[in-house]
């Protein structure tokens, strides 16, 4: 076989891993974010302010390196990683508690006072962290999968199964949906069609990127996994179609009914897979022999699976609407996180029932089980991040004047005057340091994704990844992530947002 054929075979015909293992891997970054925040709080209390180099180093070591390790050399020790991070976090929290600067009082009174504190922010930090974790995970995985160091059970599945990489696409769409213009109330009833027009216009960069990727891949003969999307289709085209369809749906249906739309679409799609020739078309083409002749046959996986991703997007819209409801106090957010966690557990129970009685998870078809799995996993991660941010808020309550980038701001005053409250928040916003890798990656997420794809392609062209040793693979992966993160970080420090629409 040629080098291209060997690489294609290396990433094909895999069956994935268990739902539990993927869930465990997703929750680890949430714990790392808590540890990173506690470390920043403690270091602020003990020493002077950090330089941008120090803060970047802290963020990279606490967020990116554990992710690389989890997907490579420590893939079989995820629970031990959880234990190590929890012990580290507990130690940091104990040190913060011992050095607390808040008024000394019994623990019960302290907790009662904390629960009544107001939280204010221009955005929900957990959503930003969710999007960044998914972006960082995807960036690591798309290169790591080409090295023998990457466990094959984490690779994208061929037909059925739950590979860790299968979560990436669905998680990206779910995360994007939570912050779409409709959720952020960027339109009024009278301007719905204006924003529909704006949504249509906003997809042109994705059209450019999708066509550009297609032309470059075909021109240089880069390896492809045909059963992922097809011959010509790619993820950018899926994003375009999902954006167009969901913009129309959100014009027709009320925002708070998005969950009904999501359930209706995916149930009807699953019925079509079960009771019409649709499934046979996806798997074997129009002639039943796996033909790739004609536009539909060539790209049948990418075109038809879009229906599943539309359902995931609508579920993300409903989640984003729930997250952006006005909640004034810590206790309100604890209730919100508890509700999201209960829904996630209910969905995992539903997933088990669907896999036993209907059909198991299939990324290739984006079927009912796949959509339930993506939404359930996303909600588990989101609830973990919410609870983690509440822990960080309590640590900031213990150490007054502590500031953690991409975390809630505490309003200690019982101010009722709205203008005064807004001035306090604005002042807090101005004082917040911009030295934050999470904020930087969230700010230029599409550029980070594009940069990761370009550098992945260059590394594959320059290095024989199939025969790389463990040490060299780890070095390349960490250098690759360091370079991509540093570029995005510098753009953020320069106050640059790369946006073409």
């Amino acid at each position: 076989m040629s080098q291209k054929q060997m690489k294609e075979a290396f990433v094909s015909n895999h069956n994935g891993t268990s739902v539990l293992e993927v869930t465990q891997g997703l929750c680890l970054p949430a714990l790392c974010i808590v540890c990173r925040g506690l470390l920043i709080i403690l270091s602020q209390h003990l020493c002077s302010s950090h330089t941008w180099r120090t803060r970047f180093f802290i963020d990279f070591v606490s967020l990116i390196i554990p992710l690389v390790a989890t997907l490579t050399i420590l893939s079989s020790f995820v629970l031990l990683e959880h234990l190590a991070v929890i012990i580290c976090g507990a130690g940091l929290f104990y040190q913060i508690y011992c050095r607390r600067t808040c008024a000394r009082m019994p623990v019960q009174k302290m907790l009662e006072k904390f629960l009544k504190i107001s939280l204010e922010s221009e955005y929900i930090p957990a959503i930003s962290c969710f999007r960044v974790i998914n972006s960082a995970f995807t960036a690591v995985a798309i290169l790591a999968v080409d090295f023998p160091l990457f466990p094959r059970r984490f690779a994208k599945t061929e037909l059925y199964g739950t590979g860790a990489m299968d979560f990436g696409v669905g998680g990206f769409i779910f995360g994007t949906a939570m912050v779409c213009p409709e959720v952020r109330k960027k339109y009024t009833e009278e301007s719905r069609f204006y924003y529909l027009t704006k949504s249509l216009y906003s997809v042109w960069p994705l059209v450019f990127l999708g066509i550009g990727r297609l032309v470059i891949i075909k021109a240089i003969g880069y390896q492809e996994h045909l059963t992922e999307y097809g011959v010509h289709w790619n993820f950018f085209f899926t994003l375009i179609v999902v954006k167009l369809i969901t913009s129309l749906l959100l014009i027709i249906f009320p925002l708070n009914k998005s969950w009904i739309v999501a359930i209706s679409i995916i149930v009807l799609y699953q019925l079509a897979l079960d009771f019409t020739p649709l499934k046979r078309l996806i798997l074997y083409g129009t002639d039943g022999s796996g033909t790739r002749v004609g536009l539909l046959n060539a790209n049948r996986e990418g075109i038809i699976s879009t229906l599943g991703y539309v359902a995931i997007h609508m579920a993300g819209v409903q989640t984003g609407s729930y997250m952006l409801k006005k909640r004034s106090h810590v206790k309100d957010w604890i209730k919100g996180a508890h509700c999201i966690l209960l829904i996630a557990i209910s969905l995992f129970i539903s997933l088990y029932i669907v896999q036993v009685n209907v059909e198991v998870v299939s990324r290739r078809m984006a079927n009912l089980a796949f959509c339930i799995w993506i939404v359930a996993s996303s909600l588990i991660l989101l609830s973990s991040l919410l609870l983690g941010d509440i822990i960080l808020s309590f640590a900031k309550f213990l150490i007054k004047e502590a500031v953690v980038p991409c975390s809630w701001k505490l309003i200690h005053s019982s101010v009722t005057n709205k203008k005064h409250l807004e001035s306090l928040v604005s002042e807090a916003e101005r004082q917040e340091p911009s030295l934050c890798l999470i904020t930087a990656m969230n700010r230029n997420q599409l550029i980070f994704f594009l940069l990761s794809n370009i550098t992945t392609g260059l590394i594959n062209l320059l290095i024989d990844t199939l025969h790389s040793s463990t040490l060299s693979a780890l070095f390349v992966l960490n250098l690759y992530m360091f370079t991509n993160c540093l570029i995005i970080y510098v753009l953020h420090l320069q106050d640059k947002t790369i946006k073409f629409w």
Side-chain angles (χ1 to χ4, degrees):
M1 289 193 295
S2 67
Q3 185 77 358
K4 177 186 174 183
Q5 290 172 324
M6 288 173 65
K7 288 192 173 184
E8 288 174 349
F10 191 58
V11 298
S12 303
N13 301 312
H14 300 298
N15 299 316
T17 183
S18 67
V19 171
L20 179 60
E21 186 174 24
V22 177
T23 306
Q24 289 170 347
L26 282 175
C27 290
L28 182 66
L31 293 173
C32 291
I33 286 174
V34 174
C35 276
R36 168 248 191 192
L38 294 174
L39 180 61
I40 290 172
I41 292 170
L42 187 61
S43 62
Q44 283 177 351
H45 181 68
L46 295 176
C47 61
S48 59
S49 59
H50 299 136
T51 65
W52 70 267
R53 293 178 183 82
T54 305
R55 187 59 64 79
F56 177 77
F57 177 77
I58 291 173
D59 285 353
F60 187 81
V61 169
S62 58
L63 302 177
I64 304 301
I65 290 180
L67 193 58
V68 174
T70 302
L71 290 174
T72 53
I73 53 173
L74 297 181
S75 59
S76 299
F77 307 99
V78 178
L79 287 179
L80 285 177
E81 281 187 277
H82 277 77
L83 183 61
V85 174
I86 289 170
I87 291 172
C88 179
L92 289 169
F93 190 86
Y94 176 74
Q95 292 297 321
I96 289 170
Y97 182 79
C98 291
R99 292 170 169 81
R100 62 189 183 277
T101 58
C102 65
R104 302 277 170 161
M105 62 184 78
V107 175
Q108 187 176 351
K109 270 195 170 184
M110 191 182 296
L111 288 172
E112 287 175 1
K113 188 176 180 182
F114 170 67
L115 291 176
K116 294 176 183 176
I117 279 186
S118 296
L119 298 173
E120 287 294 338
S121 180
E122 291 182 351
Y123 60 94
I124 310 302
I127 295 179
S128 299
C129 292
F130 177 96
R131 286 157 52 81
V132 167
I133 287 170
N134 192 71
S135 294
F137 164 80
T138 303
V140 174
I142 59 175
L143 177 59
V145 71
D146 296 316
F147 290 93
L149 185 64
F150 187 83
R152 295 299 97 189
R153 68 184 186 277
F154 288 173
K156 288 181 178 177
T157 53
E158 191 67 28
L159 179 54
Y160 292 109
T162 50
M165 287 186 71
D166 292 331
F167 175 78
V169 178
F172 188 94
I173 286 178
F174 189 91
T176 302
M178 286 194 289
V179 295
C180 68
E182 293 85 356
V183 170
R184 288 179 287 143
K185 309 289 187 187
K186 283 203 166 185
Y187 63 79
T188 60
E189 291 296 323
E190 294 77 19
S191 65
R192 281 173 178 261
F193 286 98
Y194 166 74
Y195 277 97
L196 174 60
T197 306
K198 197 169 182 180
S199 295
L200 297 176
Y201 174 73
S202 70
V203 301
W204 77 261
L206 297 175
V207 174
F208 174 77
L209 292 173
I211 294 174
R213 185 184 191 280
L214 172 63
V215 170
I216 293 171
I217 291 293
K218 298 299 180 184
I220 65 176
Y222 195 75
Q223 66 265 18
E224 298 177 87
H225 188 184
L226 282 186
T227 57
E228 184 178 355
Y229 294 110
V231 178
H232 312 106
W233 202 268
N234 58 55
F235 179 51
F236 294 111
F237 294 140
T238 295
L239 286 178
I240 292 165
V241 177
V242 168
K243 176 68 174 175
L244 297 178
I245 294 176
T246 54
S247 294
L248 286 170
L249 289 173
L250 291 169
I251 289 291
I252 300 168
F253 299 99
L255 203 66
N256 62 353
K257 303 298 181 186
S258 298
W259 66 276
I260 298 177
V261 178
I263 292 173
S264 302
I265 290 171
I266 196 55
V267 168
L268 290 172
Y269 176 49
Q270 184 63 48
L271 289 172
L273 289 173
D274 291 338
F275 299 106
T276 72
L278 187 61
K279 184 186 295 186
R280 183 175 176 81
L281 170 62
I282 295 174
L283 301 182
Y284 307 112
T286 52
D287 63 357
S289 62
T291 180
R292 292 287 175 182
V293 178
L295 188 63
L296 176 60
N297 280 314
N299 305 288
R300 54 184 185 265
E301 294 91 349
I303 294 171
I304 300 173
S305 67
T306 301
L307 288 170
Y309 292 116
V310 168
I312 291 170
H313 188 281
M314 296 304 290
V317 167
Q318 185 70 57
T319 305
S321 299
Y322 177 77
M323 289 285 288
L324 290 175
K325 281 184 179 178
K326 182 66 178 176
R327 294 177 178 86
S328 301
H329 302 100
V330 172
K331 60 183 179 182
D332 299 323
W333 277 108
I334 292 176
K335 290 177 184 176
H338 181 251
C339 180
I340 291 174
L341 184 59
L342 285 179
I343 294 171
I345 292 170
S346 301
L347 286 173
F348 276 118
I349 294 171
S350 302
L351 175 62
Y352 175 78
I353 295 169
V354 168
Q355 292 206 107
V356 169
N357 297 288
V358 182
E359 188 175 40
V360 297
V361 172
S362 173
R363 171 201 52 81
R364 189 170 172 183
M365 291 184 280
N367 60 358
L368 173 61
F370 175 79
C371 293
I372 294 174
W373 173 57
I374 292 296
V375 176
S377 300
S378 297
L379 293 180
I380 280 285
L381 176 56
L382 192 60
S383 60
S384 301
L385 291 167
L386 278 172
L387 292 170
D389 215 6
I390 290 167
I391 293 171
L392 285 181
S393 297
F394 185 57
K396 289 192 288 185
F397 171 76
L398 296 174
I399 303 286
K400 289 189 175 182
E401 307 302 326
V403 177
V404 179
C406 201
S407 175
W408 274 311
K409 297 158 191 70
L410 275 60
I411 307 298
H412 293 273
S413 175
S414 56
V415 178
T416 55
N417 183 280
K418 187 177 178 182
K419 287 186 178 179
H420 190 188
L421 184 62
E422 286 175 353
S423 69
L424 286 175
V425 176
S426 300
E427 186 180 350
E429 290 285 351
R430 285 194 299 271
Q431 290 176 352
E432 179 186 355
S434 61
L435 309 178
C436 178
L437 181 58
I438 295 174
T439 305
M441 290 173 67
N442 185 58
R443 181 176 185 173
N444 283 299
Q445 189 180 24
L446 184 59
I447 296 300
F448 179 77
F449 180 70
L450 182 61
L451 182 63
S452 300
N453 274 270
I454 292 170
T455 48
T456 294
L458 290 173
I459 290 169
N460 267 281
L461 292 173
L462 296 172
I463 297 175
D464 181 9
T465 56
L466 294 181
H467 301 97
S468 297
S469 65
T470 299
L471 275 178
S472 61
L474 278 175
F475 175 77
V476 169
L477 284 169
N478 282 292
L479 180 61
Y480 151 82
M481 286 302 294
F482 182 86
T483 304
N484 292 341
C485 289
L486 184 60
I487 292 171
I488 294 299
Y489 195 78
V490 170
L491 282 175
H492 175 62
L493 292 181
Q494 298 295 321
D495 200 24
K496 303 291 184 183
T497 301
I498 309 299
K499 194 171 182 179
F500 306 103
W501 63 96

